[in-house]
Amino acid sequence: MEKHKHWRNSPDQWGLISRILHWVMAIIVIGMLGCGLYIDNLPDEPIKFLLINLHKGTGVVVLGLLVFRLLWRLSQPVPSLLQLPQPHLFLAKASVPVLYLVLFIMPISGIIMSQSFGYSINVYGWFTFPEIVSKNPAVGKLAAATHQIAGWLLIGLIGLHIAAALYHQFFRKDYLLTRMWRSK
C-alpha cells in the first residue's frame, strides 16, 4: 500500500492523480475556450463544422473528466491551505465550488444547446451522446446564451486562478504552485 501512496493526496500534498487531472484539464479547457472563440469568428465553411464537432466531442470528454475529478476530490483529503490571511482564505475556499460549477455549466449548456437545435453529439466517432433534450430552438437560444456567459466567466476565473497561483509562488513565496506541479 505504501508503494502507491504518491498517487493519492496527503494532508499537505496533492497526489499524482490530482495533479495530472488538474494540468490535463487546464490544457483541454483553455484549448476549448480558445477554440470556441475561434469558431465564433469563422464563416460557415467545412472547417467550421469540423471544429464544432471536435469541440462538442471534447466537451463530452471534459464532462466525463470533470465527474471523475470531482469524485476523486471528494474521496481524497484536500491538502491544507497555507497560512493565509482571512480574506485570502475565504477567496481560496469559495473559488473552488464556483470554478467547479462553471466548469459543469459549460459542457452541460453546450450539450443542451446542440440537442435543442436538433444536432446530435458524436464523440470522435466512438459513440453518439444520448439525447437528453428534444429539439426546441427557444431552449437552444437560452443554452447558447448560458454557454457564452459561462465561457467568459470561466476565462475570468481561470485568469484569477493563474494570477493567484503566481502571486503565491513569486510574491508570498509559499510555493503553492510548486505543490500542484510536483511532489515534495
Side-chain angles (χ1 to χ4, degrees):
M1 200 63 122
E2 277 300 306
K3 181 179 175 183
H4 301 290
K5 192 174 182 184
H6 68 283
W7 292 88
R8 303 176 74 78
N9 295 355
S10 70
D12 64 340
Q13 182 64 47
W14 294 103
L16 185 61
I17 291 175
S18 294
R19 288 180 288 145
I20 288 172
L21 284 168
H22 177 271
W23 291 109
V24 166
M25 288 193 67
I27 291 165
I28 294 171
V29 168
I30 290 169
M32 288 286 284
L33 289 165
C35 183
L37 292 171
Y38 181 69
I39 288 169
D40 278 349
N41 295 314
L42 285 177
D44 288 344
E45 294 178 0
I47 188 70
K48 180 176 185 171
F49 302 112
L50 173 68
L51 289 174
I52 287 171
N53 286 330
L54 288 172
H55 187 80
K56 292 191 304 184
T58 305
V60 171
V61 170
V62 166
L63 182 58
L65 284 171
L66 192 55
V67 168
F68 177 75
R69 185 174 179 186
L70 184 60
L71 292 172
W72 181 256
R73 184 179 175 101
L74 293 173
S75 73
Q76 296 293 302
V78 175
S80 63
L81 293 169
L82 306 168
Q83 298 301 319
L84 299 175
Q86 189 55 40
H88 292 227
L89 187 62
F90 171 77
L91 289 173
K93 286 185 176 184
S95 67
V96 172
V98 171
L99 194 52
Y100 271 98
L101 177 64
V102 177
L103 282 167
F104 270 108
I105 287 171
M106 286 301 294
I108 291 170
S109 63
I111 290 166
I112 292 170
M113 172 177 51
S114 185
Q115 292 183 347
S116 294
F117 285 131
Y119 300 108
S120 63
I121 300 169
N122 185 299
V123 182
Y124 309 128
W126 299 336
F127 66 95
T128 299
F129 191 81
E131 186 177 311
I132 57 173
V133 293
S134 309
K135 186 173 181 178
N136 184 333
V139 171
K141 287 179 184 178
L142 179 61
T146 301
H147 196 68
Q148 185 175 37
I149 291 166
W152 285 110
L153 184 57
L154 188 55
I155 289 169
L157 289 169
I158 290 170
L160 288 172
H161 187 74
I162 291 169
L166 294 174
Y167 168 76
H168 279 277
Q169 186 72 19
F170 298 111
F171 292 99
R172 287 187 54 94
K173 297 192 186 299
D174 54 19
Y175 305 105
L176 189 69
L177 182 59
T178 303
R179 287 197 321 171
M180 186 48 84
W181 189 250
R182 64 175 191 255
S183 63
K184 289 182 179 178

